[in-house]
Amino acid sequence: MVVPELKAWRAARPHVVRIKRTVQPHVTRVAQAVQPRVTRAARSVRPHVVRAAQAVRPRSVKFTTPQLTAVAATAGLALAAGAVAFAGPWDSSGQRTAERDWAASRDGEGGADHGRSSVTSPAAPKPAPSAASVLTGLGGSIVSVPAPTQKALTSTLDRLLGDPALGGRRTAVVVDVATGKRLYGKGADDAQIPASTTKIATAVAALSAAGADHRIETRAVLEPGTKEVVLVGGGDPTLTARKKAAGWASLRTLADETATALKARHLNQVTLSYDTSLYTGSALHPIGTNPNLAPVSALMVDEARTDDSASGPVTRAADPAAEAAGKFAELLEAKGIKTTTPGLSRATNRSQSLASVSSPPLSALIERMLTNSDNDIAEAMARQVALATGRPADFDGGAAAIDAELKELGLPLSGAHFTDGSGLNRDDRLTADLLTALLVKAGDPAHPELRPILTGLPVAGFTGTLSDRYADDASGTGLVRAKTGTLTGVNTLAGTVVDADGRLLAFAFLASDTSDPSAAQSALDRTASALAGCGCR
């Protein structure tokens, strides 16, 4: 049985992460000292948020106690985050260190925010089960809450989906997550361009095929009998060369450990090469050079961004692997290891390991991908599916692997067509029926490895690609959690919402031939908000 996530403070975690990253994350373990402060801060702000929500909500919308609690908790945690960050102790993942340790002591039950920290120990909880409790807070009470009726939903949604801003083609499905029953359908089986909602399918396939606790390794190896050091890419686009790694795999750490290993071998001058052979095929997406996606390579740092940004469009390095190897050479030089200009090579099976770093678990990468609609991670995840299923790690292999993995899970693939992992390709096709089925599968207790899909969805008005939406539609703020999708003439939204009675619903809205993206987004937001305010019986 799947029940709604009422502990909405979990929904605010990505927002808190953004705030806390401005604070030095090195403090000691004082969870018992921090917890009362957090509790007092949340309790003090909640009444004000509730009153504000009641004052601004439209007269036609009736917030229920669970919904007001959800919004108050989400907003309260966001407002208190500054004080909490200084109170500490925060680790690089945004999870309080002592909370993680407490969770680890609970017989491995989980609770470490999907294990986002690159620091692991045998006692640490496994990443996927840490999210399992998110959807199990109500026990069996959900079955006593009535689900919306098809007739009432049709009356409400047909009017909203008829908005001319949604273009000439629009499809929609609403499903009761607890039962899997479809409550509303409009062109449910009509395949449309899904844009970035494709990432939901990519996420399901990656977590299913590779596993939520899978980590991507970047290595430095020494070819025996030579002085050749090879930097071997494992396909981690989140590998970072920044001084503050923020929990992601660090190229600086890899260089430090490599230098130490070389000095132990009395080597202070080497030939430096780099290996990108894990991926095959073209590195360039069919859309061509684009600020939304770097050339796809098994070796890159900071998604080949040419500034300090972590998300959004920006100019990318033309050759991510060469750039990464160049930075690695600089870091080795700083540690007293002289190198040649890096050149492309391939590590042999006789190579000796010098050092390695690993990404956070795939669950953390999936959450970041969904929250920020990160195209670089999405294409990397498609290739991880291909590698896990024995297919070539290129665009075609990744697309075929996603399709095959979803078929293995018994999902409705009629009309679906995958060409990439990100949804940037306009040849992609998905149905509203498939998108809601993916969300329902992610909430299935039989598939706890898929839970990061639900926890990674942006929260309306708070996180990721929904942080600047819902400003003119407060009724959905903090209640709608959804993946956005936007291409020229295409606007989509798919996610979950708790209705006025506390029922968890999954929805997918796809609109094509739209002419005003802002108006189309607002129309989709209003439609999702209507579900939040709807008992609809």
Side-chain angles (χ1 to χ4, degrees):
M1 180 186 304
V2 179
V3 295
E5 177 181 348
L6 293 185
K7 293 185 179 179
W9 63 270
R10 293 180 184 266
R13 183 175 290 128
H15 186 83
V16 177
V17 170
R18 291 204 308 273
I19 296 173
K20 69 90 191 176
R21 281 177 181 167
T22 63
V23 181
Q24 178 70 20
H26 301 292
V27 289
T28 56
R29 304 175 179 178
V30 288
Q32 292 180 345
V34 172
Q35 187 173 359
R37 288 180 241 182
V38 177
T39 302
R40 288 196 298 271
R43 286 177 179 172
S44 64
V45 76
R46 177 181 166 186
H48 301 291
V49 177
V50 172
R51 285 197 296 272
Q54 290 173 333
V56 301
R57 74 177 188 270
R59 293 182 181 275
S60 60
V61 177
K62 181 180 180 181
F63 279 112
T64 62
T65 297
Q67 288 179 325
L68 286 172
T69 300
V71 175
T74 303
L77 192 57
L79 292 173
V84 174
F86 285 101
W90 294 97
D91 64 14
S92 59
S93 72
Q95 175 83 10
R96 285 191 298 276
T97 300
E99 274 190 359
R100 183 186 62 201
D101 293 345
W102 177 87
S105 71
R106 304 288 291 177
D107 296 325
E109 294 173 317
D113 194 18
H114 308 293
R116 283 188 227 186
S117 174
S118 60
V119 180
T120 59
S121 71
K126 293 181 180 180
S130 70
S133 62
V134 170
L135 297 178
T136 56
L138 292 183
S141 63
I142 186 62
V143 296
S144 63
V145 176
T149 66
Q150 293 183 18
K151 181 177 180 181
L153 272 182
T154 298
S155 175
T156 299
L157 297 183
D158 277 356
R159 173 179 55 82
L160 292 166
L161 291 169
D163 192 323
L166 293 178
R169 294 185 61 203
R170 68 288 304 267
T171 61
V173 168
V174 177
V175 174
D176 177 21
V177 177
T179 63
K181 179 182 178 182
R182 183 190 297 174
L183 304 176
Y184 176 85
K186 181 182 182 68
D189 301 320
D190 295 342
Q192 291 210 65
I193 300 174
S196 279
T197 54
T198 299
K199 293 181 177 72
I200 298 175
T202 302
V204 169
L207 291 169
S208 176
D213 56 352
H214 175 66
R215 296 172 185 262
I216 303 173
E217 186 180 44
T218 305
R219 301 180 294 133
V221 301
L222 178 67
E223 290 298 332
T226 74
K227 293 183 178 182
E228 183 186 11
V229 173
V230 185
L231 178 61
V232 183
D236 178 12
T238 66
L239 177 69
T240 182
R242 293 170 181 152
K243 289 183 179 180
K244 295 182 180 180
W248 308 101
S250 172
L251 188 70
R252 292 173 180 270
T253 298
L254 183 63
D256 290 351
E257 294 180 359
T258 299
T260 299
L262 289 172
K263 289 176 181 178
R265 291 172 169 79
H266 306 291
L267 294 173
N268 55 18
Q269 187 168 353
V270 298
T271 299
L272 182 59
S273 304
Y274 58 95
D275 183 349
T276 62
S277 62
L278 186 67
Y279 288 178
T280 60
S282 173
L284 195 63
H285 192 282
I287 63 173
T289 302
N290 192 288
N292 288 296
L293 178 67
V296 183
S297 172
L299 177 64
M300 64 169 64
V301 292
D302 298 309
E303 300 181 338
R305 294 174 175 274
T306 54
D307 63 8
D308 292 330
S309 65
S311 63
V314 69
T315 301
R316 310 303 184 98
D319 189 341
E323 182 202 38
K327 289 183 178 179
F328 189 64
E330 293 174 3
L331 293 169
L332 287 177
E333 292 271 0
K335 291 295 180 179
I337 304 296
K338 295 182 179 180
T339 75
T340 59
T341 299
L344 188 63
S345 183
R346 186 165 185 167
T348 68
N349 57 11
R350 298 179 295 106
S351 61
Q352 301 167 355
S353 178
L354 293 171
S356 67
V357 291
S358 294
S359 73
L362 225 59
S363 53
L365 272 65
I366 291 296
E367 286 189 320
R368 173 171 161 176
M369 176 188 78
L370 293 173
T371 299
N372 295 331
S373 198
D374 193 304
N375 297 307
D376 299 283
I377 296 178
E379 295 304 341
M381 292 301 97
R383 281 155 180 73
Q384 290 298 316
V385 182
L387 292 168
T389 57
R391 291 176 172 81
D394 57 15
F395 281 104
D396 290 341
I402 291 170
D403 185 88
E405 192 66 23
L406 299 186
K407 183 177 181 180
E408 185 73 18
L409 289 170
L411 290 157
L413 291 171
S414 177
H417 178 62
F418 296 96
T419 62
D420 64 7
S422 62
L424 288 173
N425 197 324
R426 299 182 71 89
D427 289 336
D428 289 329
R429 292 292 185 274
L430 296 183
T431 65
D433 184 41
L434 174 58
L435 284 170
T436 51
L438 289 163
L439 293 165
V440 170
K441 184 69 72 173
D444 186 344
H447 290 279
E449 75 279 4
L450 303 181
R451 205 72 76 245
I453 293 160
L454 300 184
T455 56
L457 293 173
V459 180
F462 283 95
T463 63
T465 54
L466 286 183
S467 60
D468 58 353
R469 287 170 61 165
Y470 287 81
D472 59 349
D473 186 12
S475 61
T477 300
L479 299 176
V480 174
R481 306 184 64 154
K483 181 69 198 74
T484 57
T486 306
L487 292 173
T488 302
V490 176
N491 296 91
T492 59
L493 191 68
T496 64
V497 63
V498 179
D499 74 6
D501 291 323
R503 199 87 182 191
L504 182 64
L505 307 177
F507 65 87
F509 306 139
L510 295 86
S512 296
D513 303 326
T514 59
S515 57
D516 183 340
S518 179
Q521 288 174 1
S522 294
L524 292 176
D525 293 347
R526 285 193 296 272
T527 307
S529 292
L531 291 175
C534 182
C536 295
R537 290 190 299 279

mmCIF file of all heavy atoms in Angstrom, residues 156-191:
data_model
loop_
_atom_site.group_PDB
_atom_site.id
_atom_site.type_symbol
_atom_site.label_atom_id
_atom_site.label_comp_id
_atom_site.label_asym_id
_atom_site.label_seq_id
_atom_site.Cartn_x
_atom_site.Cartn_y
_atom_site.Cartn_z
ATOM 1 N N THR A 156 -13.845 19.067 -13.197
ATOM 2 C CA THR A 156 -12.830 20.047 -12.799
ATOM 3 C C THR A 156 -11.720 20.183 -13.831
ATOM 4 O O THR A 156 -11.349 21.295 -14.239
ATOM 5 C CB THR A 156 -12.201 19.647 -11.448
ATOM 6 O OG1 THR A 156 -13.213 19.626 -10.449
ATOM 7 C CG2 THR A 156 -11.114 20.626 -11.044
ATOM 8 N N LEU A 157 -11.198 19.051 -14.304
ATOM 9 C CA LEU A 157 -10.011 19.085 -15.153
ATOM 10 C C LEU A 157 -10.309 19.414 -16.612
ATOM 11 O O LEU A 157 -9.485 20.058 -17.281
ATOM 12 C CB LEU A 157 -9.261 17.759 -15.057
ATOM 13 C CG LEU A 157 -8.706 17.415 -13.676
ATOM 14 C CD1 LEU A 157 -7.921 16.105 -13.732
ATOM 15 C CD2 LEU A 157 -7.822 18.531 -13.151
ATOM 16 N N ASP A 158 -11.446 18.979 -17.122
ATOM 17 C CA ASP A 158 -11.773 19.287 -18.518
ATOM 18 C C ASP A 158 -11.768 20.798 -18.757
ATOM 19 O O ASP A 158 -11.285 21.290 -19.786
ATOM 20 C CB ASP A 158 -13.131 18.704 -18.899
ATOM 21 C CG ASP A 158 -13.049 17.241 -19.301
ATOM 22 O OD1 ASP A 158 -11.918 16.704 -19.351
ATOM 23 O OD2 ASP A 158 -14.098 16.633 -19.573
ATOM 24 N N ARG A 159 -12.302 21.530 -17.808
ATOM 25 C CA ARG A 159 -12.359 22.992 -17.952
ATOM 26 C C ARG A 159 -10.940 23.582 -17.958
ATOM 27 O O ARG A 159 -10.605 24.418 -18.801
ATOM 28 C CB ARG A 159 -13.179 23.585 -16.803
ATOM 29 C CG ARG A 159 -13.167 25.109 -16.740
ATOM 30 C CD ARG A 159 -14.029 25.610 -15.601
ATOM 31 N NE ARG A 159 -13.641 25.029 -14.320
ATOM 32 C CZ ARG A 159 -12.626 25.489 -13.570
ATOM 33 N NH1 ARG A 159 -11.891 26.512 -13.998
ATOM 34 N NH2 ARG A 159 -12.345 24.924 -12.415
ATOM 35 N N LEU A 160 -10.098 23.137 -17.024
ATOM 36 C CA LEU A 160 -8.751 23.689 -16.920
ATOM 37 C C LEU A 160 -7.866 23.285 -18.101
ATOM 38 O O LEU A 160 -7.068 24.082 -18.602
ATOM 39 C CB LEU A 160 -8.108 23.230 -15.615
ATOM 40 C CG LEU A 160 -8.736 23.820 -14.345
ATOM 41 C CD1 LEU A 160 -8.269 23.046 -13.118
ATOM 42 C CD2 LEU A 160 -8.376 25.296 -14.214
ATOM 43 N N LEU A 161 -8.023 22.047 -18.553
ATOM 44 C CA LEU A 161 -7.224 21.576 -19.674
ATOM 45 C C LEU A 161 -7.707 22.137 -21.003
ATOM 46 O O LEU A 161 -7.040 21.989 -22.029
ATOM 47 C CB LEU A 161 -7.220 20.050 -19.715
ATOM 48 C CG LEU A 161 -6.450 19.374 -18.566
ATOM 49 C CD1 LEU A 161 -6.732 17.875 -18.530
ATOM 50 C CD2 LEU A 161 -4.947 19.631 -18.696
ATOM 51 N N GLY A 162 -8.860 22.766 -20.985
ATOM 52 C CA GLY A 162 -9.365 23.426 -22.185
ATOM 53 C C GLY A 162 -8.786 24.808 -22.404
ATOM 54 O O GLY A 162 -9.121 25.488 -23.383
ATOM 55 N N ASP A 163 -7.910 25.249 -21.526
ATOM 56 C CA ASP A 163 -7.283 26.556 -21.650
ATOM 57 C C ASP A 163 -6.536 26.649 -22.982
ATOM 58 O O ASP A 163 -5.686 25.814 -23.284
ATOM 59 C CB ASP A 163 -6.300 26.761 -20.490
ATOM 60 C CG ASP A 163 -5.811 28.190 -20.369
ATOM 61 O OD1 ASP A 163 -5.605 28.838 -21.416
ATOM 62 O OD2 ASP A 163 -5.617 28.660 -19.235
ATOM 63 N N PRO A 164 -6.837 27.678 -23.812
ATOM 64 C CA PRO A 164 -6.159 27.818 -25.112
ATOM 65 C C PRO A 164 -4.642 27.908 -24.995
ATOM 66 O O PRO A 164 -3.924 27.599 -25.955
ATOM 67 C CB PRO A 164 -6.742 29.132 -25.653
ATOM 68 C CG PRO A 164 -8.053 29.307 -24.960
ATOM 69 C CD PRO A 164 -7.857 28.721 -23.596
ATOM 70 N N ALA A 165 -4.130 28.317 -23.826
ATOM 71 C CA ALA A 165 -2.685 28.419 -23.653
ATOM 72 C C ALA A 165 -1.993 27.072 -23.773
ATOM 73 O O ALA A 165 -0.775 27.010 -23.981
ATOM 74 C CB ALA A 165 -2.360 29.034 -22.291
ATOM 75 N N LEU A 166 -2.761 25.989 -23.645
ATOM 76 C CA LEU A 166 -2.178 24.651 -23.707
ATOM 77 C C LEU A 166 -2.096 24.105 -25.128
ATOM 78 O O LEU A 166 -1.795 22.922 -25.326
ATOM 79 C CB LEU A 166 -2.969 23.694 -22.810
ATOM 80 C CG LEU A 166 -2.870 23.994 -21.314
ATOM 81 C CD1 LEU A 166 -3.732 23.032 -20.511
ATOM 82 C CD2 LEU A 166 -1.424 23.941 -20.843
ATOM 83 N N GLY A 167 -2.322 24.961 -26.109
ATOM 84 C CA GLY A 167 -2.073 24.576 -27.492
ATOM 85 C C GLY A 167 -3.116 23.658 -28.086
ATOM 86 O O GLY A 167 -4.194 23.439 -27.530
ATOM 87 N N GLY A 168 -2.745 23.076 -29.229
ATOM 88 C CA GLY A 168 -3.705 22.283 -29.986
ATOM 89 C C GLY A 168 -3.827 20.844 -29.539
ATOM 90 O O GLY A 168 -4.806 20.171 -29.874
ATOM 91 N N ARG A 169 -2.837 20.337 -28.792
ATOM 92 C CA ARG A 169 -2.883 18.944 -28.330
ATOM 93 C C ARG A 169 -2.539 18.896 -26.859
ATOM 94 O O ARG A 169 -1.511 19.407 -26.435
ATOM 95 C CB ARG A 169 -1.883 18.068 -29.109
ATOM 96 C CG ARG A 169 -2.186 17.891 -30.567
ATOM 97 C CD ARG A 169 -1.199 16.915 -31.181
ATOM 98 N NE ARG A 169 -1.280 15.608 -30.569
ATOM 99 C CZ ARG A 169 -0.294 14.709 -30.570
ATOM 100 N NH1 ARG A 169 0.862 15.010 -31.125
ATOM 101 N NH2 ARG A 169 -0.452 13.537 -30.008
ATOM 102 N N ARG A 170 -3.420 18.287 -26.102
ATOM 103 C CA ARG A 170 -3.138 18.126 -24.674
ATOM 104 C C ARG A 170 -3.674 16.773 -24.206
ATOM 105 O O ARG A 170 -4.771 16.354 -24.602
ATOM 106 C CB ARG A 170 -3.703 19.273 -23.841
ATOM 107 C CG ARG A 170 -5.191 19.403 -23.716
ATOM 108 C CD ARG A 170 -5.927 19.875 -24.969
ATOM 109 N NE ARG A 170 -5.447 21.140 -25.492
ATOM 110 C CZ ARG A 170 -5.986 22.305 -25.159
ATOM 111 N NH1 ARG A 170 -6.976 22.362 -24.284
ATOM 112 N NH2 ARG A 170 -5.571 23.411 -25.731
ATOM 113 N N THR A 171 -2.863 16.077 -23.424
ATOM 114 C CA THR A 171 -3.270 14.791 -22.864
ATOM 115 C C THR A 171 -3.041 14.825 -21.366
ATOM 116 O O THR A 171 -2.202 15.580 -20.871
ATOM 117 C CB THR A 171 -2.484 13.624 -23.484
ATOM 118 O OG1 THR A 171 -1.092 13.796 -23.201
ATOM 119 C CG2 THR A 171 -2.686 13.563 -24.981
ATOM 120 N N ALA A 172 -3.785 13.983 -20.647
ATOM 121 C CA ALA A 172 -3.678 14.016 -19.184
ATOM 122 C C ALA A 172 -4.157 12.709 -18.585
ATOM 123 O O ALA A 172 -5.066 12.056 -19.108
ATOM 124 C CB ALA A 172 -4.505 15.173 -18.620
ATOM 125 N N VAL A 173 -3.533 12.350 -17.471
ATOM 126 C CA VAL A 173 -3.957 11.191 -16.682
ATOM 127 C C VAL A 173 -3.764 11.531 -15.209
ATOM 128 O O VAL A 173 -2.778 12.165 -14.829
ATOM 129 C CB VAL A 173 -3.145 9.922 -17.036
ATOM 130 C CG1 VAL A 173 -3.380 8.819 -16.011
ATOM 131 C CG2 VAL A 173 -3.504 9.427 -18.433
ATOM 132 N N VAL A 174 -4.734 11.113 -14.381
ATOM 133 C CA VAL A 174 -4.607 11.205 -12.925
ATOM 134 C C VAL A 174 -4.866 9.821 -12.356
ATOM 135 O O VAL A 174 -5.857 9.162 -12.729
ATOM 136 C CB VAL A 174 -5.593 12.217 -12.323
ATOM 137 C CG1 VAL A 174 -5.470 12.236 -10.793
ATOM 138 C CG2 VAL A 174 -5.351 13.606 -12.893
ATOM 139 N N VAL A 175 -3.989 9.371 -11.471
ATOM 140 C CA VAL A 175 -4.075 8.025 -10.911
ATOM 141 C C VAL A 175 -4.023 8.100 -9.388
ATOM 142 O O VAL A 175 -3.265 8.902 -8.822
ATOM 143 C CB VAL A 175 -2.924 7.132 -11.429
ATOM 144 C CG1 VAL A 175 -2.920 5.771 -10.746
ATOM 145 C CG2 VAL A 175 -3.023 6.962 -12.937
ATOM 146 N N ASP A 176 -4.821 7.277 -8.735
ATOM 147 C CA ASP A 176 -4.743 7.111 -7.288
ATOM 148 C C ASP A 176 -3.554 6.198 -6.988
ATOM 149 O O ASP A 176 -3.559 5.020 -7.352
ATOM 150 C CB ASP A 176 -6.047 6.492 -6.780
ATOM 151 C CG ASP A 176 -6.022 6.214 -5.288
ATOM 152 O OD1 ASP A 176 -5.200 6.829 -4.586
ATOM 153 O OD2 ASP A 176 -6.827 5.379 -4.829
ATOM 154 N N VAL A 177 -2.522 6.750 -6.349
ATOM 155 C CA VAL A 177 -1.291 5.989 -6.145
ATOM 156 C C VAL A 177 -1.513 4.781 -5.236
ATOM 157 O O VAL A 177 -0.909 3.730 -5.417
ATOM 158 C CB VAL A 177 -0.181 6.899 -5.582
ATOM 159 C CG1 VAL A 177 1.080 6.106 -5.289
ATOM 160 C CG2 VAL A 177 0.127 8.026 -6.563
ATOM 161 N N ALA A 178 -2.411 4.909 -4.259
ATOM 162 C CA ALA A 178 -2.625 3.812 -3.311
ATOM 163 C C ALA A 178 -3.180 2.566 -3.986
ATOM 164 O O ALA A 178 -2.827 1.443 -3.620
ATOM 165 C CB ALA A 178 -3.571 4.264 -2.201
ATOM 166 N N THR A 179 -4.032 2.761 -4.985
ATOM 167 C CA THR A 179 -4.682 1.618 -5.630
ATOM 168 C C THR A 179 -4.209 1.385 -7.061
ATOM 169 O O THR A 179 -4.422 0.312 -7.618
ATOM 170 C CB THR A 179 -6.205 1.825 -5.668
ATOM 171 O OG1 THR A 179 -6.503 2.977 -6.481
ATOM 172 C CG2 THR A 179 -6.754 2.048 -4.255
ATOM 173 N N GLY A 180 -3.567 2.396 -7.661
ATOM 174 C CA GLY A 180 -3.180 2.300 -9.056
ATOM 175 C C GLY A 180 -4.329 2.531 -10.014
ATOM 176 O O GLY A 180 -4.166 2.416 -11.235
ATOM 177 N N LYS A 181 -5.485 2.907 -9.505
ATOM 178 C CA LYS A 181 -6.672 3.097 -10.349
ATOM 179 C C LYS A 181 -6.612 4.439 -11.058
ATOM 180 O O LYS A 181 -6.323 5.468 -10.449
ATOM 181 C CB LYS A 181 -7.944 3.023 -9.497
ATOM 182 C CG LYS A 181 -9.227 3.240 -10.286
ATOM 183 C CD LYS A 181 -10.443 3.199 -9.369
ATOM 184 C CE LYS A 181 -11.721 3.467 -10.143
ATOM 185 N NZ LYS A 181 -12.917 3.475 -9.246
ATOM 186 N N ARG A 182 -6.906 4.423 -12.358
ATOM 187 C CA ARG A 182 -6.962 5.673 -13.111
ATOM 188 C C ARG A 182 -8.270 6.397 -12.779
ATOM 189 O O ARG A 182 -9.363 5.835 -12.895
ATOM 190 C CB ARG A 182 -6.881 5.419 -14.609
ATOM 191 C CG ARG A 182 -6.860 6.723 -15.435
ATOM 192 C CD ARG A 182 -7.018 6.469 -16.922
ATOM 193 N NE ARG A 182 -5.914 5.691 -17.458
ATOM 194 C CZ ARG A 182 -5.877 5.239 -18.712
ATOM 195 N NH1 ARG A 182 -6.896 5.446 -19.527
ATOM 196 N NH2 ARG A 182 -4.837 4.539 -19.127
ATOM 197 N N LEU A 183 -8.138 7.644 -12.376
ATOM 198 C CA LEU A 183 -9.296 8.448 -12.002
ATOM 199 C C LEU A 183 -9.705 9.419 -13.098
ATOM 200 O O LEU A 183 -10.847 9.896 -13.106
ATOM 201 C CB LEU A 183 -8.987 9.238 -10.721
ATOM 202 C CG LEU A 183 -8.549 8.415 -9.510
ATOM 203 C CD1 LEU A 183 -8.185 9.336 -8.354
ATOM 204 C CD2 LEU A 183 -9.658 7.439 -9.102
ATOM 205 N N TYR A 184 -8.773 9.720 -13.991
ATOM 206 C CA TYR A 184 -9.071 10.652 -15.073
ATOM 207 C C TYR A 184 -8.148 10.342 -16.231
ATOM 208 O O TYR A 184 -6.965 10.035 -16.043
ATOM 209 C CB TYR A 184 -8.853 12.092 -14.613
ATOM 210 C CG TYR A 184 -9.055 13.123 -15.705
ATOM 211 C CD1 TYR A 184 -10.324 13.607 -16.003
ATOM 212 C CD2 TYR A 184 -7.973 13.608 -16.444
ATOM 213 C CE1 TYR A 184 -10.518 14.556 -17.014
ATOM 214 C CE2 TYR A 184 -8.159 14.544 -17.451
ATOM 215 C CZ TYR A 184 -9.426 15.013 -17.734
ATOM 216 O OH TYR A 184 -9.617 15.936 -18.732
ATOM 217 N N GLY A 185 -8.680 10.411 -17.440
ATOM 218 C CA GLY A 185 -7.860 10.200 -18.615
ATOM 219 C C GLY A 185 -8.345 11.027 -19.788
ATOM 220 O O GLY A 185 -9.545 11.067 -20.075
ATOM 221 N N LYS A 186 -7.421 11.699 -20.425
ATOM 222 C CA LYS A 186 -7.712 12.471 -21.637
ATOM 223 C C LYS A 186 -6.579 12.211 -22.613
ATOM 224 O O LYS A 186 -5.467 12.685 -22.425
ATOM 225 C CB LYS A 186 -7.804 13.961 -21.319
ATOM 226 C CG LYS A 186 -8.138 14.858 -22.524
ATOM 227 C CD LYS A 186 -8.143 16.320 -22.092
ATOM 228 C CE LYS A 186 -8.528 17.252 -23.238
ATOM 229 N NZ LYS A 186 -9.940 17.079 -23.636
ATOM 230 N N GLY A 187 -6.843 11.395 -23.638
ATOM 231 C CA GLY A 187 -5.783 11.010 -24.557
ATOM 232 C C GLY A 187 -4.677 10.251 -23.852
ATOM 233 O O GLY A 187 -3.491 10.426 -24.168
ATOM 234 N N ALA A 188 -5.048 9.403 -22.913
ATOM 235 C CA ALA A 188 -4.066 8.740 -22.054
ATOM 236 C C ALA A 188 -3.029 7.947 -22.826
ATOM 237 O O ALA A 188 -1.861 7.871 -22.409
ATOM 238 C CB ALA A 188 -4.791 7.811 -21.073
ATOM 239 N N ASP A 189 -3.418 7.368 -23.946
ATOM 240 C CA ASP A 189 -2.516 6.515 -24.719
ATOM 241 C C ASP A 189 -1.932 7.219 -25.933
ATOM 242 O O ASP A 189 -1.271 6.585 -26.760
ATOM 243 C CB ASP A 189 -3.251 5.252 -25.160
ATOM 244 C CG ASP A 189 -3.776 4.451 -23.978
ATOM 245 O OD1 ASP A 189 -3.044 4.356 -22.978
ATOM 246 O OD2 ASP A 189 -4.906 3.936 -24.059
ATOM 247 N N ASP A 190 -2.172 8.520 -26.064
ATOM 248 C CA ASP A 190 -1.639 9.277 -27.193
ATOM 249 C C ASP A 190 -0.211 9.721 -26.877
ATOM 250 O O ASP A 190 0.007 10.486 -25.932
ATOM 251 C CB ASP A 190 -2.502 10.509 -27.481
ATOM 252 C CG ASP A 190 -3.908 10.139 -27.944
ATOM 253 O OD1 ASP A 190 -4.094 8.978 -28.358
ATOM 254 O OD2 ASP A 190 -4.802 11.010 -27.885
ATOM 255 N N ALA A 191 0.725 9.252 -27.666
ATOM 256 C CA ALA A 191 2.124 9.589 -27.418
ATOM 257 C C ALA A 191 2.418 11.011 -27.889
ATOM 258 O O ALA A 191 2.042 11.405 -28.992
ATOM 259 C CB ALA A 191 3.035 8.602 -28.135
#
